[in-house]
């Protein structure tokens, strides 16, 4: 069950309208690494989770991502200002003046509609946790790019807060991954040496250690099949 709280998770403000930057910030509302994607990914993954603590973690973070989405959308709304005039806008900001009435849209920075294709859900907790750690990492990277391109103190405070929260999520997902380290797709299926081989296909020059690539160390007695085994 979800409830609506009238307050934002963290107050947002802008120093002045900036429609061009509003269009850029759309990336974190309806883009591939954005808040809506994060919320939908963790929510849809949670339905399959049996461990009550981890299920709760996924749902708590999914709910927080919706609060982030609300903060980003509110900021876009403020940045779009009050004057509907597409002729004064640069490429990329026109849509909010012609279609959304200066409101935020579920699109990325290029006006491309949000899609559920951004969401990764496998039913395997280890795979999903690894996806989520990477998703949080990518969300941080996009916020860093956005932070560097704005001087507005209000917008910077909001991005700084959101970036720090994604860092917290990243740490929590890593912690959960530790807990289920040897389960699901990470179970030991009795892998052969094939799982330990490094194919050195760029000889000469070996930059990584050489794990078990010599023919005499093959457990199955097969003849060498790869260049580095000859
Ligand atoms: Mn978020
Ligand atoms: Mn997050």
């Amino acid at each position: 069950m979800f409830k609506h709280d009238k307050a934002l998770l963290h107050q947002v403000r802008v120093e002045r309208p900036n429609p061009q930057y509003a269009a850029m910030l759309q990336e974190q509302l309806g883009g591939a690494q954005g808040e809506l994607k994060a919320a939908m990914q963790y929510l849809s993954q949670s339905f399959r989770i049996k461990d009550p603590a981890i299920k709760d973690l996924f749902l708590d973070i999914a709910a927080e991502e919706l609060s982030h989405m609300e903060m980003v959308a509110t900021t876009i709304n403020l940045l779009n200002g009050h004057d509907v005039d597409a002729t004064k806008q640069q490429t990329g900001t026109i849509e909010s003046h012609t279609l959304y009435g200066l409101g935020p849209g579920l699109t990325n920075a290029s006006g491309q509609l949000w899609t559920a294709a951004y969401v990764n859900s496998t039913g395997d907790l280890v795979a999903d946790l690894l996806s989520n750690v990477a998703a949080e990492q990518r969300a941080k990277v996009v916020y860093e790019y956005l932070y560097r391109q704005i001087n507005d103190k209000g917008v910077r405070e909001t991005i700084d807060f959101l970036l720090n929260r994604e860092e917290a999520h990243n740490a929590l997902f890593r912690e959960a991954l530790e807990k289920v380290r040897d389960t699901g797709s990470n179970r030991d299926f009795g892998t052969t040496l094939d799982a330990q081989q490094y194919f050195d296909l760029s000889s000469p020059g070996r930059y990584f250690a050489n794990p078990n690539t010599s023919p005499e160390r093959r457990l199955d007695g097969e003849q060498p099949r790869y260049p580095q085994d000859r």
Side-chain angles (χ1 to χ4, degrees):
M1 181 179 77
F2 291 95
K3 287 183 181 173
H4 169 233
D5 194 310
K6 290 180 178 60
L8 288 176
L9 175 66
H10 191 269
Q11 200 50 249
V12 303
R13 67 180 185 93
V14 304
E15 289 184 319
R16 64 190 67 83
N18 185 340
Q20 180 71 30
Y21 196 80
M24 288 164 63
L25 197 54
Q26 281 284 155
E27 192 61 38
Q28 288 299 67
L29 178 57
Q33 324 300 345
E35 302 295 354
L36 179 58
K37 170 255 172 67
M40 292 303 112
Q41 179 158 311
Y42 310 150
L43 178 65
S44 53
Q45 290 170 344
S46 74
F47 295 117
R48 193 74 196 168
I49 300 172
K50 293 195 189 84
D51 183 314
I54 294 181
K55 190 186 185 82
D56 201 38
L57 175 74
F58 276 54
L59 284 166
D60 282 345
I61 296 180
E64 186 184 337
E65 302 295 9
L66 283 174
S67 306
H68 292 183
M69 183 193 165
E70 189 182 25
M71 288 174 64
V72 172
T74 305
T75 305
I76 289 169
N77 200 39
L78 294 170
L79 287 169
N80 270 331
H82 304 289
D83 304 317
V84 180
D85 187 354
T87 59
K88 286 185 184 160
Q89 302 310 318
Q90 300 174 52
T91 307
T93 66
I94 287 171
E95 238 177 353
S96 67
H97 292 255
T98 56
L99 184 59
Y100 301 127
L102 302 180
L106 299 185
T107 73
N108 70 7
S110 301
Q112 192 174 25
L113 296 174
W114 186 84
T115 164
Y118 296 150
V119 171
N120 277 297
S121 183
T122 66
D124 180 84
L125 193 48
V126 171
D128 283 353
L129 281 165
L130 284 165
S131 279
N132 298 355
V133 169
E136 294 292 345
Q137 200 80 23
R138 289 191 296 262
K140 279 169 52 186
V141 170
V142 176
Y143 274 128
E144 279 169 28
Y145 293 152
L146 286 167
Y147 188 90
R148 284 188 219 156
Q149 297 176 74
I150 186 80
N151 290 319
D152 188 305
K153 286 194 184 67
V155 176
R156 279 198 153 198
E157 279 166 21
T158 298
I159 294 177
D160 185 56
F161 172 80
L162 292 170
L163 208 157
N164 275 281
R165 290 308 303 153
E166 310 312 3
E167 177 66 39
H169 297 165
N170 193 305
L172 288 161
F173 283 132
R174 284 173 198 259
E175 210 174 293
L177 181 62
E178 273 306 308
K179 197 174 164 188
V180 297
R181 178 155 289 285
D182 301 319
T183 67
S185 59
N186 251 11
R187 275 197 318 274
D188 184 355
F189 293 105
T191 50
T192 67
L193 279 183
D194 282 339
Q196 299 167 9
Q197 281 190 335
Y198 170 54
F199 294 177
D200 183 20
L201 301 180
S202 58
S203 302
R206 188 184 287 276
Y207 296 105
F208 289 90
N210 182 11
N212 301 328
T213 54
S214 60
E216 63 276 9
R217 293 181 67 182
R218 289 188 66 97
L219 289 176
D220 55 15
E222 274 183 34
Q223 288 305 303
R225 288 172 295 176
Y226 310 113
Q228 71 272 27
D229 289 339
R230 291 190 194 112

